[in-house]
Amino acid sequence: MQHLLLINIKELAGVETGESRIKRLAGSDMKNLPSIRNAWLYMENGRIHSFGSMDEEHYIQCNDIIDLKGKKTVLPAFVDSHTHLVFAGSREGEFVDRINGLSYEEIARRGGGILNSAAKLNTTSEDELYHAAHERLHRVMAQGTGAIEIKSGYGLSVEGELKMLRVIRRLKENAPIPIKASFLGAHAYPVDYKQNKEGYLNLIINNMLPQIADEGLADYIDVFCEEGFFSVDDTSRLLDAGAKYGLKPKIHANQLHYSGGVQVGVKHNAVSVDHLECVGDAEIASLQGSNTMPTLLPGAAFFLGIQYQPARKIIDAGLPVCLATDYNPGSCPSGNMPLLLTIACTQLKMTPEEAINAVTINGAAALELEQEAGTIAVGKRANLIVTKEIPSIQYIPYDYGNNPVDKLIINGVVA
Ligand SMILES: [Zn+2]
């Protein structure tokens, strides 16, 4: 039997003590990050077995003990629910183009952006893609990520999309953390279909989806619902087609315009609608009463220098907020979750507790991993962050640009 006991934990944060698991936190509840000071935590066979206060001294004795000496804090590992971690090559040329005044949309029109990544991906082997993605995955794990979602969408051809999804499947098989795969064939129109958009929709629906379903390669279907990309009607059609294969939607919505993406996502009972730079009263009204998680990707807004998401407006309307990195080679070449927390606090005016809840319990909800991840709760997978010696939880986003992680514990073992 494999076990591990942590004692003298300065603060055990993100604990959940009730019998039934909380699915997600919304509105003013997001401010609360329940914690136990001076705590212990016992893990057995990869799961959280029990935890409590040192003062009560009820912990199970075992030979594998780490004494945190009252100086280090423990919290649930971060859940990054939106990434494009599998990609070929970097795009710093476009980064310079943007500095010199070109917009993201202008770069896309010139064949840069997603099409640039698609051209590189289609000439890169599955092995090369796998090794580069594996290295990125381990880098973000060192920064506290303990569960992740990864999308296709740089293939834009039957073979290219299948290749990306097979790379994600290989990562799932070999990585110690939970990984969810989203099929994003509708990320952009490939060059060959620029004048034949109907043809590309048919290719996705009639060729890509059946093969992906046949090989069981995706958990979700994603669409870039945006002006100049896929319309609300296109999105609706694609989500209906995905539903036939049991793929729930997680979609790119309202990044550059009030595109109707949020509403179409909610209508199709999307697990999440992601990006949300452009959110007004109509979008908020459609999210009210739904199970769809509003997921904000402020790392992309930071890197593109565009407007940030109205996180306060969404939270103050009583809705939940999830945060994810959008790690991708164009608009956010970073999967750094601690830095994302800083951006959420300084630019979105979220409190540190709200931001941490947004990347733990709400991140887990955005990947339907609420029974596995997101809080310190008995029976959940023991994927935890042990911090360096820090004075408080608030210090994590405050200490920006630095890595708060001393150790990552994955499945009850120091990774
Ligand atoms: Zn994205």
Side-chain angles (χ1 to χ4, degrees):
M1 190 168 60
Q2 170 253 323
H3 43 68
L4 180 63
L5 174 66
L6 304 180
I7 59 168
N8 294 313
I9 302 167
K10 180 184 172 75
E11 186 174 349
L12 182 63
V15 298
E16 204 184 334
T17 49
E19 283 290 302
S20 59
R21 300 280 79 91
I22 299 166
K23 189 171 158 51
R24 61 188 203 176
L25 291 174
S28 57
D29 289 342
M30 285 192 70
K31 279 196 177 63
N32 304 322
L33 185 69
S35 71
I36 302 171
R37 285 178 188 279
N38 194 24
W40 57 269
L41 173 81
Y42 177 64
M43 293 157 266
E44 200 172 88
N45 294 331
R47 300 270 157 187
I48 296 169
H49 176 278
S50 47
F51 56 87
S53 157
M54 290 298 290
D55 304 330
E56 294 164 15
E57 291 193 344
H58 285 146
Y59 56 84
I60 295 167
Q61 291 290 348
C62 83
N63 296 331
D64 293 306
I65 303 179
I66 301 177
D67 184 351
L68 301 181
K69 301 192 165 94
K71 290 181 173 156
K72 295 177 180 181
T73 283
V74 172
L75 66 155
F78 302 135
V79 180
D80 193 351
S81 64
H82 182 135
T83 83
H84 307 253
L85 181 101
V86 174
F87 58 84
S90 55
R91 283 170 27 200
E92 67 275 20
E94 294 172 13
F95 167 68
V96 177
D97 286 343
R98 277 199 306 277
I99 294 167
N100 289 324
L102 288 188
S103 73
Y104 182 75
E105 287 157 298
E106 283 163 336
I107 291 167
R109 269 199 295 276
R110 292 176 176 205
I114 296 161
L115 294 182
N116 184 353
S117 281
K120 286 176 175 155
L121 186 124
N122 280 296
T123 56
T124 304
S125 75
E126 196 172 311
D127 266 353
E128 279 178 84
L129 285 172
Y130 172 76
H131 291 298
H134 184 266
E135 208 250 81
R136 285 179 206 122
L137 184 66
H138 281 268
R139 202 170 339 123
V140 298
M141 283 170 61
Q143 292 163 336
T145 299
I148 199 166
E149 182 260 16
I150 310 173
K151 299 173 192 299
S152 70
Y154 294 128
L156 308 181
S157 62
V158 177
E159 272 317 303
E161 288 297 308
L162 288 171
K163 180 164 71 176
M164 283 191 79
L165 289 166
R166 287 180 189 133
V167 169
I168 301 171
R169 179 172 61 192
R170 226 166 124 187
L171 291 169
K172 278 189 184 191
E173 287 165 358
N174 295 317
I177 66 171
I179 297 176
K180 294 277 181 117
S182 300
F183 165 54
L184 177 57
H187 199 189
Y189 287 98
V191 180
D192 293 350
Y193 287 88
K194 269 277 173 238
Q195 306 307 323
N196 180 15
K197 296 189 170 178
E198 182 61 23
Y200 188 58
L201 293 176
N202 287 329
L203 187 76
I204 293 174
I205 293 167
N206 300 325
N207 297 75
M208 293 183 190
L209 271 171
Q211 290 197 56
I212 287 162
D214 199 42
E215 291 187 41
L217 288 171
D219 301 296
Y220 302 109
I221 181 164
D222 196 340
V223 176
F224 189 18
C225 182
E226 186 57 65
E227 282 179 27
F229 291 84
F230 295 85
S231 71
V232 166
D233 286 347
D234 298 338
T235 303
S236 222
R237 234 176 106 188
L238 291 162
L239 299 186
D240 280 337
K244 291 203 179 93
Y245 299 100
L247 300 181
K248 292 187 193 172
K250 276 177 76 68
I251 70 167
H252 283 71
N254 295 54
Q255 179 184 12
L256 306 170
H257 298 95
Y258 290 85
S259 59
V262 170
Q263 290 89 331
V264 71
V266 171
K267 195 171 141 222
H268 287 261
N269 206 12
V271 176
S272 67
V273 286
D274 302 19
H275 261 301
L276 310 190
E277 281 82 347
C278 301
V279 165
D281 295 340
E283 285 76 16
I284 285 179
S286 83
L287 285 161
Q288 298 282 10
S290 81
N291 291 319
T292 301
M293 176 65 74
T295 297
L296 314 183
L297 313 172
F302 166 77
F303 196 68
L304 293 176
I306 65 173
Q307 63 173 324
Y308 284 99
Q309 297 83 359
R312 281 266 56 95
K313 189 177 163 96
I314 299 171
I315 294 171
D316 293 346
L319 290 168
V321 155
C322 169
L323 292 162
T325 63
D326 199 20
Y327 190 4
N328 77 80
S331 60
C332 188
S334 166
N336 186 322
M337 291 293 263
L339 183 58
L340 176 70
L341 294 175
T342 300
I343 295 171
C345 293
T346 60
Q347 307 303 309
L348 272 51
K349 308 297 176 200
M350 291 172 72
T351 67
E353 292 81 0
E354 286 173 332
I356 290 169
N357 280 323
V359 297
T360 53
I361 184 167
N362 285 357
L367 290 185
E368 300 181 292
L369 286 171
E370 55 270 21
Q371 300 298 326
E372 286 284 285
T375 60
I376 307 284
V378 171
K380 282 198 182 184
R381 204 187 265 257
N383 286 9
L384 314 165
I385 291 167
V386 177
T387 69
K388 293 172 180 159
E389 294 184 13
I390 58 172
S392 68
I393 279 284
Q394 292 84 3
Y395 185 83
I396 294 174
Y398 161 87
D399 186 36
Y400 91 100
N402 293 315
N403 186 1
V405 179
D406 177 47
K407 295 179 191 35
L408 189 69
I409 295 178
I410 297 294
N411 301 322
V413 177
V414 177

